[in-house]
Amino acid sequence: MSAPPPPMSLLAELTHRCPLQCPYCSNPLQLEPRPQELDTEDWKRVLSEAAEMGVLQVHFSGGEPMARPDLPELVAHAAKAGLYSNLITSGMLLNAKNLQELADAGLDHIQLSFQDAEAESADHIAHMTGAHAKKLEAAQLIKTEGLPLTLNFVIHRQNCERVPAMLALAEQLGARRVEIAHTQYYGWGLLNRNALLPSRAQVEETEKVVAEARVRLSGRMSIDFVTPDYYADRPKPCMGGWGQRFLNVSPAGKVLPCHAAESIPGVQMPSVAEESLANIWENAPLFRLFRGTDWMPEPCQSCAFKEDDWGGCRCQALALAGDATATDPVCHRAPGHDLITQAITERPETPPPFHYRRYGNAKV
Amino acid sequence: MISENSILRFARGTRLQHDRVRDVWFIQAPERAFHADPIAVEVLQLIDGTRNVGGILDLLCQKFAAPRDIIAQDVLTLLRDLATKQVLQAI
Ligand code: SF4
Ligand code: SF4
């Protein structure tokens, strides 16, 4: 196999600690505890190495990345290395002082997550009273400071009827971008699938609302829409292809091709504690496993779309079909497609209570 | 609508950046990096928040010894597109 192209972006998951408990959180079920977290110097080395490899953008994420007191120092280091820096935050720990520190450090952009457009439901989803009000304050502070702001809404059966209100809130708060992202069903999201999975009618309604709003808001606010692949005909090109564009570093320093890749069995998770980022990117067995198309089974191997969607998501294939090398069950041609149809038909009329994301709460 | 009288600047959180590893230029913007072709790079390097679009066109005509009306059309299309993408803003 020839050398892979350099990665475009780095997701730096600084910590899994977070004040909120969203039931669709993209963190793994086994959250890494604070004592395992990389220290400031480790992260600086990772950022420098990433910039040298050709990474253009770093996304500081978590958990709640603002739970790390060294965040401004890391942002300043990223800026010095020429990386574009994005902060993905719940806003719960944001105040005028630390916002100013981040701006002074050279932060380029903030993505602020909301759980709903309306406080009561938002606080229920985040499992914290007052969370929504705190986020509104955070958005005001960011707006006043002037940093470009993206609002992120993860949507599901219990909030998707309020997409119009979410868009209105984003407009009102002066966001430059808004992300309306249907829940992805891995980890915590999969655990909560019955409480989250929308109906086909709900999905179609969100698509319609977003399409109309895009026309209306053109040039003022752009909308990123993530579709729920359960209702699609073909899977998503997960991460733009395994090990093609994207690197994820976990709080403890594991380097992954996507944030769910830790679930892949039988292969060692490479770590920045042991090897350079460049060496991992090029040579680690985990990164080579599903790079390109050689590994593909049928029906993907002889399919015309194999370089469009790369056979879909490996972690979804593993989580649903029990085999990371299988065709993503979302695909209509996949042998495991029944699993998706079944999940949709067996969706209960009334959503069950949430199984909240927190340390030690992974067991069903 | 952007015209020859408009004065443009990069919106906060966007910038033109040379990528040493790939030896190409990118427009860095919130959560995305657009590849900038060599012509776009020539134009964007002249955006400084003080010179108007007409002034940029004059400089490009000189540099490339090309007829102004042809350049003007292409450059305005490019700039309007980047304004729609919220990369550039008029002052
Ligand atoms: S999804 Fe919710 S629980 Fe997970 S890190 Fe973000 S704010 Fe915290
Ligand atoms: S068969 Fe494989 S390559 Fe073809 S559309 Fe389905 S997942 Fe994609």
Side-chain angles (χ1 to χ4, degrees), chain A residues 9 48 88 103 110 126-127 159 187 242 255 262 276 301 314 336 349:
Chain A
S9 82
S48 301
I88 301 177
I110 296 183
H127 206 44
N159 69 2
W242 188 269
V255 189
E262 260 186 90
S276 73
Q301 196 51 258
R314 297 303 86 226
E349 207 45 53

Side-chain angles (χ1 to χ4, degrees), chain A residues 11-223:
Chain A
L11 183 70
E13 288 183 337
L14 299 182
T15 178
H16 281 156
R17 290 173 287 133
C18 182
L20 303 184
Q21 303 184 21
C22 311
Y24 47 72
C25 183
S26 63
N27 289 159
L29 294 173
Q30 294 305 329
L31 299 165
E32 291 169 359
R34 181 177 201 156
Q36 285 179 16
E37 290 177 9
L38 294 179
D39 65 25
T40 309
E41 292 313 308
D42 291 331
W43 275 115
K44 285 186 177 172
R45 176 172 55 87
V46 168
L47 293 167
S48 301
E49 288 184 12
E52 269 165 46
M53 288 166 74
V55 166
L56 296 173
Q57 300 207 337
V58 57
H59 306 278
F60 290 106
S61 176
E64 174 47 66
M66 294 191 74
R68 294 266 312 208
D70 56 358
L71 181 63
E73 197 178 337
L74 298 178
V75 167
H77 191 84
K80 212 169 70 202
L83 292 165
Y84 186 98
S85 60
N86 176 25
L87 173 63
I88 301 177
T89 181
S90 69
M92 296 303 292
L93 307 175
L94 193 135
N95 56 45
K97 183 169 171 285
N98 58 25
L99 177 63
Q100 195 54 54
E101 280 168 13
L102 290 167
D104 292 344
L107 185 67
D108 288 302
H109 171 250
I110 296 183
Q111 183 194 120
L112 178 63
S113 65
F114 277 84
Q115 280 64 22
D116 204 327
E118 155 207 289
E120 197 186 328
S121 164
D123 290 356
H124 170 63
I125 296 165
H127 206 44
M128 184 187 275
T129 315
H132 188 73
K134 178 80 203 149
K135 285 159 183 278
L136 292 173
E137 266 172 46
Q140 284 304 347
L141 289 172
I142 297 164
K143 190 63 205 155
T144 309
E145 199 288 329
L147 265 161
L149 172 66
T150 291
L151 250 49
N152 164 280
F153 292 90
V154 173
I155 59 168
H156 44 78
R157 66 185 291 183
Q158 302 199 45
N159 69 2
C160 68
E161 73 205 50
R162 283 180 293 281
V163 170
M166 295 172 191
L167 295 168
L169 180 62
E171 244 191 301
Q172 182 204 325
L173 293 173
R176 203 145 101 195
R177 291 175 71 247
V178 59
E179 281 182 13
I180 302 289
H182 274 282
T183 303
Q184 306 298 305
Y185 299 100
Y186 322 115
W188 297 96
L190 187 56
L191 208 56
N192 283 289
R193 190 170 62 186
N194 281 335
L196 297 168
L197 187 66
S199 67
R200 182 177 289 277
Q202 282 182 310
V203 168
E204 285 168 359
E205 180 61 23
T206 61
E207 284 166 349
K208 201 177 105 212
V209 168
V210 167
E212 286 166 4
R214 273 190 176 143
V215 177
R216 182 167 55 84
L217 297 167
S218 168
R220 282 187 288 148
M221 187 170 84
S222 56
I223 308 176

Side-chain angles (χ1 to χ4, degrees), chain A residues 6-8 52-54 56-57 82-84 86 108-109 111 145-148 176 179 219-220 222, chain B residues 11-15 17 19-22 26-33 83-87 89:
Chain A
M8 300 288 287
E52 269 165 46
M53 288 166 74
L56 296 173
Q57 300 207 337
L83 292 165
Y84 186 98
N86 176 25
D108 288 302
H109 171 250
Q111 183 194 120
E145 199 288 329
L147 265 161
R176 203 145 101 195
E179 281 182 13
R220 282 187 288 148
S222 56
Chain B
R12 184 154 170 210
T14 64
R15 60 172 180 262
Q17 186 177 325
D19 171 354
R20 283 171 291 126
V21 174
R22 299 172 187 82
F26 280 98
I27 297 166
Q28 292 266 38
E31 312 212 22
R32 56 204 296 195
T84 309
K85 289 181 175 147
Q86 303 182 81
V87 170
Q89 20 179 245

Side-chain angles (χ1 to χ4, degrees), chain A residues 264-281:
Chain A
I264 309 275
V267 50
Q268 206 207 329
M269 297 296 134
S271 164
V272 295
E274 284 143 32
E275 288 168 89
S276 73
L277 214 50
N279 191 39
I280 292 171
W281 178 253

